[in-house]
Amino acid sequence: MALNISSPADFHVHLRQGSFSELITPHVRKGGFHLAYVMPNLKPPITTTDQALKYKADLQKIDSDVEYLMTLYLSPDLTPEEIRKASAAGIVGVKSYPRGVTTNSDGGIESYEAYYPVFEAMQEVDMVLNLHGEVPSDTKTNIHVLNAEVQFLPHLFKLHHAFPRLRIVLEHATTRAAIEAVKSCGPTVACTITAHHLALVVDDWAGQSWNFCKPVAKYPDDREALRSVIKEGHPRFFLGSDSAPHPPHTKSTSTPTHACAAGIYTSPILLPLVADLLHSFGALQNLVGFVSDFGRSFYRRPARDGKTVQLRKIEGGYLVEERYIQGQDELVPFWAGKRLNWKIVES
Amino acid sequence: MALNISSPADFHVHLRQGSFSELITPHVRKGGFHLAYVMPNLKPPITTTDQALKYKADLQKIDSDVEYLMTLYLSPDLTPEEIRKASAAGIVGVKSYPRGVTTNSDGGIESYEAYYPVFEAMQEVDMVLNLHGEVPSDTKTNIHVLNAEVQFLPHLFKLHHAFPRLRIVLEHATTRAAIEAVKSCGPTVACTITAHHLALVVDDWAGQSWNFCKPVAKYPDDREALRSVIKEGHPRFFLGSDSAPHPPHTKSTSTPTHACAAGIYTSPILLPLVADLLHSFGALQNLVGFVSDFGRSFYRRPARDGKTVQLRKIEGGYLVEERYIQGQDELVPFWAGKRLNWKIVES
C-alpha cells in the first residue's frame, strides 16, 4: 500500500541557529517536507526584515531544496513601515508570543491594542498573524497551563472582529474550545495542529519530560476534538509541527530547582508519524489535505514544482532512530525507539 | 517567636523497607513527628496481621520513640476473619489503592462491592478505611490525572452511605470538589491533606519531575480550597504527608520510554514546612489542630506523653539540606536548597 502526497508543507517549525541548525534543517526534507514556515524566536529574536532575510539565506545554505517562509517576532520595535518593507521582501507572517506581549504592559495580553497599527498595516499588505494562543499563568486568577489556551480565545475573537480581513492562524491548538472557536470564525482564521498533540494527553507528560511541551497536551476529550476536525477534513485546520529540538540533557534531567525544556522534536519523522496517527484514528483519507493542500491554500502557496513524496506501509513496522548526532550536537526525536508503520520511499 | 505543638502526628507516611527504611524512618522525628500512620504498599504488600506486626517491629528497631500505627493493603486475600485478628493485634486501618481494585474486576472501582463483607467487619471492630481516591485514567471515558479524584467521589459517597459507622479517610485530597465532598459527609468521614499539595499547582510539575506525585497537584483554585479548609480550622481535615521517598535517579531522569517516579519526600522537613506554608496563607493559628489535635481526635489517639515540639521563627530563614546520604542510599528532600523560616528547637 502506498500514498502519494504532493509537496508536503510544515506551517510551524523551529530551525534554530548555528551548528544546531545545521543538524536539524536537513531533517525538514528527511521528514518528508518541502516547505517550512519558520519561527522567529532566535536569540536575539528576528524582529527586522534584514534579520529575516539573513536567516533565510543561512537556512538555504544548509538545504536549498526547501521553501522557507519567514516570520518576524512581534515586539514593540515593529512598525507599520517595517511591515510594508517585510512584505515587499517576501516575509509572510508575524508571530506573537505571550511573553512578548506581557513584557509590554501590566495588563498582560490586553496590550494587543498597542499593536493595532501594526495589524492594520499587516491587513493592508496581506501578511499573516500567527498567534501563540495562551495567556500567562496566574495563580490569583486560576490561570494555569491547562486552561491558558481557553482563556486566550476571547483575544482571538477580538482581533478577528477588529481586523476581519487580517489572516490569523491560531497556532498549535490543543483544546476542543480552540477548535470550536476557529470553526466559528470567518475564512480568514485558520489553525495549525501538531503531530504530538494528536498523540498525547496530559497523562503522557505527567512525570515524563520528553512529552512536555507548551502548550501542554490536554485531556482525552480535547485530543478527540483535534482528531475529529481532521477526520472531518475541515480546510482551515492543517499541520504545523511546532517541532522544537532541545539538547537531550535539557529534556532528560530536571534538578529540584530547574524544570525541563518545553518542546518536542518531530521534524525527522514528521510525515510517517502523521500518517501513522491519522491512520490510527481513521483519517488517512485526509492526509493530503492536512499536510499539504489546506495549509497551502490558506497561505496561497500552491505546490509549484509537482514534487510528490511517496509513503509505503511497512509490514510489522520499523523502529524510529534513538538519536541523531553531528559534531557536538545530539538530538533525540519524539517516538525514539518506538515503531512506525509508514515510511518515506527514498527516491 | 516560638510555637509549641503537642506530639505532632503524620497520618499518612511511606517508610519503605531495608536500608532505605533505615535512612528515612528516623526522619519522622527529625521532621518533628511522634506518630506515623504507616502505608502498607511494600513489595510484597502488607496484607496480613503477621506481616504488619513484623514490619512494625522492624520500624521500632530503627526508632522506638515514634508511635507506628499500622495498616493492611486491601486485596482479595483480605477476609473478615483477618480483619478481626488485625484489630485485636492493634492494627488501625486498611488502605485501598485503585490498582488493587482494578486488578480485581473488569468494572474497575465498582468492585468495592466485592469487599463489602470486609468493610462490614471493619465497621464492627472500628477499623479505619483509608482511600486513595482516584479512578484509573481511561482515554475512552475522558478520565485523566486531573479529574481522577473528582470521578472517584461518587464511590466515597456510596461507601459512606452503605457503612455510615465505618470511619473513612479520603487520603491526600487535592481538589475543591473533594474538600466539599468530605465536608458534606457525616462525622465518620475525614480527609488528609499533604504539605506539598498546599504548596504546588499543576504548573509546578509541568516539566518538573521533582514536583510530580500522585495524585498530581491540581489548579490554583483547588489549592485555595485546601488552604481555606485549614484556615477555617475544620476538625475533619488534618495532615497526612504522603511523604514518599524515591532514589534521586528515578526522580531526576526520564528517558523517552520511562516516566519518573511519582512521589515527594517531605518527612525530614515536615513540621517546619507545614508551619511555613500555613504562615504564608494566614492559617498559623490552626497549626496545632492541623498537625496534631484533629487527626488524633479522629483516630482516637490522644497525645499520651505530653511531649511537645517547639518551632522557632528564624530571621532571614535557613536553607533546606540538598541531600541525605547513608551507605548506598541517597535522598533529596522536597524544598532542597530553598529557604524555610520555621525551625525545630533541638531539645
Side-chain angles (χ1 to χ4, degrees):
Chain A
M1 190 173 168
L3 295 168
N4 293 302
I5 302 121
S6 70
S7 213
D10 181 354
F11 280 102
H12 185 133
V13 62
H14 297 270
L15 294 180
R16 309 301 194 205
Q17 296 158 281
S19 64
F20 215 47
S21 186
E22 287 169 23
L23 168 56
I24 66 174
T25 300
H27 287 179
V28 173
R29 272 206 299 143
K30 179 181 173 70
F33 286 77
H34 291 163
L35 181 153
Y37 192 84
V38 183
M39 290 298 116
N41 59 332
L42 304 188
K43 291 177 182 174
I46 301 287
T47 56
T48 68
T49 305
D50 294 347
Q51 282 175 295
L53 295 178
K54 165 76 170 62
Y55 186 32
K56 184 177 184 173
D58 291 344
L59 297 173
Q60 283 172 326
K61 252 178 261 166
I62 301 171
D63 184 351
S64 61
D65 273 359
V66 169
E67 182 181 5
Y68 302 100
L69 301 186
M70 307 309 290
T71 58
L72 300 181
Y73 191 110
L74 185 64
S75 82
D77 299 335
L78 198 57
T79 61
E81 292 66 42
E82 189 65 25
I83 290 294
R84 282 185 276 272
K85 181 179 172 188
S87 175
I91 292 165
V92 177
V94 173
K95 176 74 184 287
S96 151
Y97 286 92
R99 191 181 317 173
V101 173
T102 49
T103 304
N104 210 24
S105 91
D106 290 336
I109 205 120
E110 276 78 7
S111 66
Y112 268 137
E113 285 176 10
Y115 294 106
Y116 275 18
V118 168
F119 299 156
E120 190 68 54
M122 288 172 64
Q123 185 170 253
E124 273 169 38
V125 298
D126 204 15
M127 273 177 88
V128 173
L129 177 62
N130 303 98
L131 298 174
H132 181 122
E134 291 191 298
V135 295
S137 288
D138 179 0
T139 55
K140 287 194 185 64
T141 52
N142 197 38
I143 296 174
H144 47 77
V145 291
L146 274 307
N147 70 3
E149 182 174 281
V150 174
Q151 297 283 338
F152 178 84
L153 297 174
H155 299 288
L156 171 66
F157 290 132
K158 193 173 171 190
L159 286 171
H160 179 44
H161 184 76
F163 301 96
R165 290 178 297 113
L166 177 63
R167 281 184 295 152
I168 298 175
V169 179
L170 184 69
E171 299 294 334
H172 42 56
T174 59
T175 57
R176 180 175 291 278
I179 300 297
E180 286 170 3
V182 170
K183 275 186 172 180
S184 76
C185 291
T188 52
V189 178
C191 182
T192 55
I193 294 176
T194 74
H196 53 274
H197 288 125
L198 293 172
L200 304 173
V201 296
V202 57
D203 286 52
D204 296 306
W205 57 265
Q208 176 43 286
S209 57
W210 289 89
N211 292 337
F212 171 58
C213 57
K214 291 277 183 72
V216 297
K218 304 298 192 301
Y219 314 122
D221 179 64
D222 292 301
R223 184 178 66 178
E224 187 53 36
L226 306 188
R227 291 174 169 186
S228 289
V229 81
I230 296 170
K231 260 160 104 166
E232 176 185 324
H234 195 297
R236 285 191 283 120
F237 294 81
F238 47 82
L239 179 69
S241 71
D242 195 16
S243 179
H246 292 276
H249 73 274
T250 68
K251 287 298 289 180
S252 65
T253 302
S254 71
T255 71
T257 47
H258 288 87
C260 289
I264 292 181
Y265 187 50
T266 50
S267 254
I269 58 161
L270 189 56
L271 192 57
L273 176 66
V274 172
D276 258 51
L277 289 165
L278 266 57
H279 197 180
S280 76
F281 58 84
L284 200 58
Q285 71 280 7
N286 294 331
L287 180 66
V288 175
F290 182 63
V291 303
S292 182
D293 293 352
F294 298 161
R296 286 183 173 279
S297 170
F298 184 83
Y299 275 99
R300 301 172 195 158
R301 295 278 163 169
R304 298 174 298 190
D305 45 17
K307 279 183 195 165
T308 63
V309 176
Q310 191 173 62
L311 285 174
R312 202 173 53 215
K313 184 98 186 287
I314 303 295
E315 211 50 57
Y318 65 99
L319 294 176
V320 171
E321 288 168 84
E322 297 276 1
R323 65 194 69 245
Y324 305 101
I325 299 177
Q326 187 169 287
Q328 299 294 309
D329 297 307
E330 182 182 342
L331 278 177
V332 175
F334 186 59
W335 224 250
K338 293 189 190 172
R339 212 163 274 278
L340 284 176
N341 297 295
W342 290 90
K343 192 164 193 173
I344 296 171
V345 178
E346 306 294 338
S347 51
Chain B
M1 189 175 170
L3 295 169
N4 292 304
I5 301 121
S6 70
S7 212
D10 180 355
F11 280 102
H12 185 134
V13 63
H14 297 270
L15 294 180
R16 309 300 194 207
Q17 296 158 279
S19 64
F20 215 46
S21 186
E22 287 169 24
L23 169 55
I24 66 176
T25 300
H27 288 179
V28 172
R29 272 207 298 144
K30 179 180 173 69
F33 285 77
H34 291 163
L35 181 152
Y37 191 84
V38 184
M39 290 298 116
N41 60 332
L42 304 188
K43 290 177 181 175
I46 301 286
T47 56
T48 68
T49 304
D50 295 346
Q51 282 175 295
L53 295 179
K54 164 75 171 61
Y55 186 32
K56 183 176 184 175
D58 291 345
L59 297 173
Q60 283 172 326
K61 252 179 263 169
I62 301 171
D63 184 351
S64 61
D65 273 359
V66 169
E67 181 181 7
Y68 303 100
L69 301 186
M70 307 308 289
T71 58
L72 300 180
Y73 191 110
L74 185 64
S75 82
D77 299 336
L78 198 56
T79 60
E81 292 67 42
E82 189 66 24
I83 289 295
R84 282 184 276 273
K85 180 179 173 187
S87 175
I91 292 167
V92 177
V94 174
K95 176 76 185 285
S96 151
Y97 286 93
R99 191 180 319 173
V101 173
T102 49
T103 304
N104 210 23
S105 92
D106 291 335
I109 206 120
E110 276 77 6
S111 68
Y112 268 137
E113 286 177 11
Y115 294 106
Y116 275 17
V118 169
F119 298 156
E120 190 66 54
M122 288 172 64
Q123 185 170 252
E124 273 170 40
V125 299
D126 205 16
M127 273 177 87
V128 174
L129 177 61
N130 303 98
L131 298 174
H132 181 123
E134 291 191 298
V135 295
S137 288
D138 179 0
T139 55
K140 287 193 187 63
T141 52
N142 197 37
I143 296 174
H144 47 78
V145 291
L146 274 307
N147 70 3
E149 182 174 280
V150 174
Q151 297 284 337
F152 178 84
L153 297 175
H155 299 289
L156 171 66
F157 290 132
K158 193 173 169 189
L159 286 171
H160 179 45
H161 183 77
F163 301 97
R165 290 179 296 114
L166 177 64
R167 281 183 294 153
I168 298 175
V169 180
L170 184 70
E171 299 293 334
H172 42 55
T174 59
T175 57
R176 179 175 292 277
I179 299 297
E180 286 170 2
V182 171
K183 275 187 173 181
S184 77
C185 291
T188 51
V189 178
C191 183
T192 55
I193 294 175
T194 74
H196 52 276
H197 289 124
L198 293 173
L200 304 173
V201 296
V202 56
D203 286 52
D204 296 306
W205 57 264
Q208 176 43 286
S209 57
W210 289 90
N211 292 337
F212 171 58
C213 58
K214 292 277 183 73
V216 298
K218 304 296 191 301
Y219 313 123
D221 179 63
D222 292 301
R223 184 178 65 179
E224 187 53 37
L226 307 188
R227 291 175 170 185
S228 290
V229 82
I230 296 171
K231 260 161 104 164
E232 177 186 322
H234 195 297
R236 286 190 283 120
F237 293 81
F238 46 83
L239 179 70
S241 70
D242 194 16
S243 178
H246 291 276
H249 72 275
T250 68
K251 288 298 289 180
S252 64
T253 301
S254 71
T255 71
T257 48
H258 288 88
C260 288
I264 292 180
Y265 187 49
T266 50
S267 255
I269 58 162
L270 190 56
L271 191 57
L273 176 65
V274 172
D276 258 51
L277 288 165
L278 266 56
H279 198 180
S280 76
F281 57 83
L284 201 57
Q285 72 280 9
N286 294 331
L287 180 66
V288 176
F290 183 63
V291 303
S292 182
D293 293 351
F294 298 160
R296 286 184 173 280
S297 170
F298 184 83
Y299 275 98
R300 303 173 194 156
R301 295 278 163 169
R304 297 174 300 191
D305 44 17
K307 280 183 195 166
T308 64
V309 176
Q310 191 171 63
L311 285 174
R312 201 172 52 215
K313 185 100 185 289
I314 304 295
E315 210 50 57
Y318 65 100
L319 294 176
V320 171
E321 288 169 84
E322 297 276 1
R323 65 194 67 246
Y324 306 101
I325 300 177
Q326 188 169 288
Q328 299 296 308
D329 296 307
E330 183 182 343
L331 278 177
V332 176
F334 187 59
W335 225 250
K338 293 188 190 173
R339 211 162 274 277
L340 284 176
N341 297 297
W342 291 90
K343 194 166 193 171
I344 295 171
V345 178
E346 306 293 338
S347 52

